[in-house]
């Protein structure tokens, strides 16, 4: 199973229990996911009781995001990393032409670090799901935490 394989893969060196369920994403033509980070910024979400509990008030967080492309990505539907290489934050969270575009093929995987080795938020992990011009974009995502609350 994909979840077990990812958790045990030497690519992450993370125990299976630190992962969460796989999410399947489908983008139709014109659909997008604006630029965002996958880590949970406790300063912005701390008032949300469930997030504060999940993160133990910021102690635990999403360390790694894995993207598995389930089909070849159609034109325009790339995943964009607008801060790649140290670029400045974009003025428009829906801009997909600046940064590093990743247009995966079926079976390819991308690993992204949401936190650095010290546990600080990686601002350069900003990414966006850009809108396919035609066809559908399918991918699976999995978050791996630096540590999970055993009660979640």
């Amino acid at each position: 199973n994909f979840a077990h394989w990812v958790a045990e893969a030497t690519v992450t060196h993370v125990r299976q229990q630190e992962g969460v369920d796989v999410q399947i994403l489908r983008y139709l033509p014109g659909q997008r996911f604006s630029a965002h980070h996958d880590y949970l910024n406790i300063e912005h979400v701390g008032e949300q009781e469930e997030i504060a509990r999940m993160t133990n008030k910021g102690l635990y967080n999403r360390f790694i995001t894995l993207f598995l492309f389930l089909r070849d990505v159609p034109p325009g539907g790339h995943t964009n990393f607008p801060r790649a290489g140290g670029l400045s934050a974009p003025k428009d969270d829906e801009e997909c032409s600046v940064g590093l575009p990743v247009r995966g093929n079926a079976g390819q995987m991308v690993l992204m670090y949401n936190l650095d080795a010290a546990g600080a938020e990686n601002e350069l992990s900003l990414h966006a799901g850009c809108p396919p011009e035609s066809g559908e974009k399918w991918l699976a995502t999995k978050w791996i935490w630096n540590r999970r609350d055993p009660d979640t």
Side-chain angles (χ1 to χ4, degrees), residues 17-152:
Q17 61 264 34
E18 308 306 348
V20 296
D21 293 336
V22 172
Q23 298 179 51
I24 304 297
L25 303 175
R26 178 181 126 191
Y27 294 77
L28 297 173
Q31 290 183 326
R32 67 171 64 239
F33 200 120
S34 299
H36 64 283
H37 295 97
D38 284 351
Y39 59 75
L40 300 170
N41 183 319
I42 197 64
E43 292 176 15
H44 295 120
V45 299
E47 293 123 27
Q48 298 177 28
E49 187 175 317
E50 178 66 13
I51 300 294
R53 187 187 63 73
M54 280 175 43
T55 63
N56 193 12
K57 299 182 180 168
L59 182 62
Y60 312 144
N61 214 322
R62 297 171 180 161
F63 177 49
I64 294 170
T65 298
L66 293 164
F67 300 103
L68 174 66
F69 295 96
L70 302 175
R71 292 187 182 170
D72 292 350
V73 174
H78 57 278
T79 300
N80 193 50
F81 294 86
R83 304 251 357 240
L87 293 172
S88 300
K91 292 183 178 15
D92 180 356
D93 286 342
E94 297 196 0
E95 174 61 53
C96 282
S97 64
V98 176
L100 175 67
V102 176
R103 188 172 164 210
N105 294 315
Q108 290 181 324
M109 186 180 293
V110 171
L111 180 147
M112 174 182 70
Y113 287 96
N114 302 307
L115 307 175
D116 66 19
E121 297 165 351
N122 177 7
E123 294 291 328
L124 301 181
S125 68
L126 186 71
H127 60 288
C130 299
E133 296 167 10
S134 62
E136 297 179 357
K137 174 182 175 180
W138 285 86
L139 69 145
T141 62
K142 182 169 179 71
W143 293 311
I144 300 189
W145 290 64
N146 58 348
R147 185 171 173 196
R148 293 277 317 264
D149 183 336
D151 295 330
T152 61

